[in-house]
Amino acid sequence: MNFGQRGRELLLDLKRSDWLPPYSDEGVRGTLEEINLHYGELSDHVNASAAAAAADASAEQSGDRSSRRKKDAQLPFESRAAVVLHDEAIRRNKRCLLAYHQYRMDRLRGLRWETTGVLPNHIRGLLSEAEVDFFAEYDRIVSRHCASIDLDLSSSQT
């Protein structure tokens, strides 16, 4: 498993692009699938540790002291590195997804001020349906706010 490659590719696409690359639905889905795989592995390790702890508790109750573990050790030593690795991979992929979407939303907010609320057709093709909805809703909120304070924030200050 190549940890974090999909999330990294999303961010590299943003970096290589002059303005905004087309929305990478496949990249986002792949990153989410990778998160789910890591979560499954993490759950397997934790469940195996819980099962081992339950077996230790039942062995302890039956009087078998040879399989007794320290009560404060929650995970077996051999599982700790794997748990940390999968947890960090999940967190990294989440950060990559959040950074990808935040960058795109910031660009759309800036575009609203440059175009005064009109989304150009050549840009509309680069966006996901949710991003088009975001742009329209953001424009509606800004326009309503400007109207409520009787101020045109999109006009030139000069």
Side-chain angles (χ1 to χ4, degrees), residues 67-84:
S67 65
R68 188 177 188 181
R69 293 184 183 194
K70 290 183 179 180
K71 295 204 185 269
D72 62 342
Q74 296 175 352
L75 287 172
F77 184 73
E78 59 273 4
S79 295
R80 291 179 188 169
V83 167
V84 170

Side-chain angles (χ1 to χ4, degrees), residues 105-120:
M105 295 300 105
D106 289 344
R107 288 295 191 148
L108 290 176
R109 281 187 208 100
L111 180 66
R112 191 272 174 214
W113 295 102
E114 292 170 13
T115 63
T116 62
V118 178
L119 187 61

Side-chain angles (χ1 to χ4, degrees), residues 20-96:
L20 262 186
Y23 184 79
S24 179
D25 193 38
E26 181 181 318
V28 170
R29 286 180 202 268
T31 305
L32 290 171
E33 287 172 10
E34 189 175 310
I35 288 171
N36 287 332
L37 288 173
H38 285 296
Y39 182 77
E41 290 289 325
L42 184 64
S43 295
D44 291 346
H45 283 288
V46 171
N47 291 339
S49 297
D56 285 350
S58 65
E60 191 176 299
Q61 287 177 352
S62 67
D64 181 11
R65 303 280 185 223
S66 63
S67 65
R68 188 177 188 181
R69 293 184 183 194
K70 290 183 179 180
K71 295 204 185 269
D72 62 342
Q74 296 175 352
L75 287 172
F77 184 73
E78 59 273 4
S79 295
R80 291 179 188 169
V83 167
V84 170
L85 176 79
H86 291 295
D87 181 59
E88 287 301 318
I90 290 169
R91 290 173 188 258
R92 181 176 191 269
N93 279 334
K94 284 182 178 181
R95 284 192 308 269
C96 288

